[in-house]
Amino acid sequence: MLVLKAVSVLVAGLLSVLAVSLLMRGMQAAKVKAPRTDDRRNRMRRLRQDPRTGVYYPED
């Protein structure tokens, strides 16, 4: 009976270590930044308002 308890504690410890290692890998993947894309697309466009209609148009 003592051997069965020891084996179960050993297996639980091993599974805990594996779970923690997988969690740490996931945390490292979250730290990785995405590569920058085209800056022109990410830039905020300035808008100009048409005085007659009130509609906004992008400034080019």
Side-chain angles (χ1 to χ4, degrees):
M1 193 64 152
L2 183 64
V3 174
L4 185 60
K5 286 182 183 179
V7 169
S8 64
V9 168
L10 184 65
V11 168
L14 183 63
L15 288 176
S16 297
V17 168
L18 287 174
V20 168
S21 68
L22 287 175
L23 183 67
M24 294 306 274
R25 280 190 212 157
M27 296 287 279
Q28 285 178 348
K31 290 181 185 177
V32 175
K33 291 185 178 180
R36 292 195 63 131
T37 57
D38 186 18
D39 287 335
R40 187 175 169 192
R41 285 189 307 178
N42 292 339
R43 223 175 16 180
M44 290 288 293
R45 291 181 121 182
R46 293 181 58 105
L47 298 176
R48 184 172 43 94
Q49 186 179 18
D50 186 7
R52 277 190 268 154
T53 62
V55 176
Y56 287 92
Y57 294 102
E59 257 182 22
D60 289 327

